[in-house]
């Protein structure tokens, strides 16, 4: 984070969902290093506590609030926002990092799997954002919201029907909501990474390999050789892009979908 000052997010309260996942985990660490007070949420309290400890090792006086929640649950969403504000004040930054992979080719896709992917990746994200936006607007606070979309939210790929649809929905939500929120001084953007070196990313590469009768190692090699950069993305790189979009360094970037593709998608 060489370009960021230690106080780039000072006075900001950032809520990070999906904080136990690879990208959310690194985003939390990057946010405290940029001076933010953060609330981290996910379903696994033990992992959230581990993340809090990691943040406190990086920044001695890190302000980290741990609030486990199931974002598919309406009451959990409301309680999360209420307690986050009670503990750390108005939320001025939101990172919607919670999400899951999954799905199959359309002829094999099960309704249960489709609903599961859409519920967390899209519906819960929109409904949580609605609550946060309402509080930001009521408190007349400027802010920034960053949604985690994907390259799969910009173009479809084989065997990716459910996940790609959910991320296309997030990309569309980002663009439409950006028009509305900027009237209140709240910027909305998305990051769209391709394969990232996280558990979800590795699972995706493994699944792709199985369809092509390749081992994980063989498929990873093929994926990386097809990329101009020659490698997949590290979660820290996605986190740094998110911090940029949260900070005032990007204050006239609105409704964008920032690709992080290693050069594999240029358009």
């Amino acid at each position: 984070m060489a370009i960021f000052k230690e106080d780039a997010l000072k006075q900001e309260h950032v809520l990070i969902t999906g904080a136990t996942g690879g990208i959310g985990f690194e985003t939390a660490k990057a946010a405290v290093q940029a001076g933010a007070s953060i609330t981290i949420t996910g379903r696994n309290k033990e992992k959230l506590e581990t993340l809090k400890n990691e943040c406190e090792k990086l920044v001695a006086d890190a302000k980290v609030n741990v609030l486990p929640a199931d974002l598919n649950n309406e009451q959990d969403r409301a309680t999360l926002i209420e307690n986050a504000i009670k503990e750390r004040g108005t939320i001025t930054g939101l990172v919607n990092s919670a999400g899951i992979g999954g799905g199959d080719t359309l002829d094999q896709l099960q309704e249960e799997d489709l609903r599961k992917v859409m519920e967390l990746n899209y519906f819960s994200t929109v409904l949580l954002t609605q609550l946060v936006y309402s509080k930001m607007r009521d408190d007349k606070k400027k802010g920034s919201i960053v949604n985690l979309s994907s390259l799969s939210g910009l173009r479809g790929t084989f065997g990716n029907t459910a996940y790609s649809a959910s991320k296309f929905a997030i990309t569309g939500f980002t663009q439409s909501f950006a028009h509305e929120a900027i009237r209140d001084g709240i910027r909305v953007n998305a990051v769209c990474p391709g394969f990232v070196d996280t558990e979800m990313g590795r699972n995706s590469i493994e699944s792709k390999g199985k369809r092509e009768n390749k081992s994980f190692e063989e498929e990873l090699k093929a994926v990386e050789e097809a990329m101009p950069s020659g490698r997949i993305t590290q979660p820290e790189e996605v986190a740094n892009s998110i911090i940029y979009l949260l900070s005032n360094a990007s204050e006239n970037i609105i409704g964008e979908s920032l690709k992080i593709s290693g050069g594999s998608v240029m358009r």
Side-chain angles (χ1 to χ4, degrees):
M1 281 206 312
I3 69 167
F4 296 116
K5 298 179 180 178
E6 291 182 357
D7 62 353
L9 296 180
K10 189 176 181 181
Q11 308 301 326
E12 306 295 340
H13 174 198
V14 180
L15 169 61
I16 302 166
T17 73
T20 57
I23 293 173
F25 198 94
E26 293 302 327
T27 300
K29 289 162 60 179
V32 295
Q33 290 181 88
S37 168
I38 65 173
T39 294
I40 52 176
T41 189
R43 298 183 186 184
N44 190 317
K45 184 176 181 181
E46 185 177 341
K47 285 186 178 180
L48 291 173
E49 292 290 350
T50 297
L51 174 55
K52 180 180 179 180
N53 291 335
E54 289 285 327
C55 290
E56 290 171 344
K57 288 177 183 176
L58 290 168
V59 180
D61 60 346
K63 299 177 178 64
V64 182
N65 194 29
V66 172
L67 292 176
D70 177 358
L71 299 185
N72 286 334
N73 183 287
E74 181 180 2
Q75 186 57 56
D76 270 21
R77 292 193 298 267
T79 300
L80 169 64
I81 301 307
E82 179 183 348
N83 289 339
I85 293 172
K86 186 183 298 182
E87 291 287 335
R88 300 290 176 191
T90 302
I91 296 167
T92 56
L94 171 63
V95 179
N96 283 311
S97 183
I100 55 174
D104 210 327
T105 54
L106 187 61
D107 59 331
Q108 298 294 319
L109 184 63
Q110 300 296 308
E111 180 177 345
E112 180 182 359
D113 293 332
L114 175 60
R115 291 187 181 278
K116 185 178 180 181
V117 170
M118 292 300 295
E119 183 71 24
L120 181 59
N121 290 6
Y122 181 65
F123 289 109
S124 294
T125 295
V126 173
L127 293 171
L128 180 73
T129 303
Q130 186 180 52
L131 292 176
V132 174
Y133 174 54
S134 176
K135 294 294 185 181
M136 284 179 169
R137 188 172 52 184
D138 289 348
D139 291 344
K140 302 187 184 305
K141 292 284 188 179
K142 291 186 177 181
S144 177
I145 295 171
V146 182
N147 298 319
L148 193 67
S149 185
S150 168
L151 293 182
S152 293
L154 300 175
R155 47 86 174 113
T157 54
F158 184 89
N160 209 19
T161 306
Y163 181 74
S164 186
S166 73
K167 292 303 184 179
F168 261 91
I170 285 295
T171 301
F173 166 60
T174 297
Q175 293 178 7
S176 293
F177 181 41
H179 283 283
E180 303 168 16
I182 195 58
R183 298 175 304 174
D184 301 298
I186 299 165
R187 295 182 300 107
V188 183
N189 291 287
V191 292
C192 299
F195 288 116
V196 182
D197 190 12
T198 62
E199 182 180 358
M200 184 187 295
R202 290 188 292 271
N203 287 342
S204 181
I205 291 170
E206 185 174 31
S207 295
K208 188 172 184 289
K210 286 180 178 178
R211 290 197 300 269
E212 299 172 2
N213 294 315
K214 294 179 182 177
S215 67
F216 170 80
E217 290 75 17
E218 290 171 330
E219 186 60 38
L220 174 62
K221 185 172 185 290
V223 165
E224 293 191 321
E225 286 180 345
M227 301 173 71
S229 69
R231 64 176 180 83
I232 62 174
T233 302
Q234 294 301 308
E236 295 89 343
E237 294 172 311
V238 183
N240 286 345
S241 298
I242 291 170
I243 299 302
Y244 168 67
L245 291 173
L246 288 174
S247 77
N248 60 15
S250 61
E251 60 184 0
N252 203 35
I253 297 179
I254 298 160
E256 293 292 346
S257 299
L258 177 62
K259 298 188 299 295
I260 309 172
S261 73
S264 62
V265 178
M266 297 185 187
R267 61 177 177 83

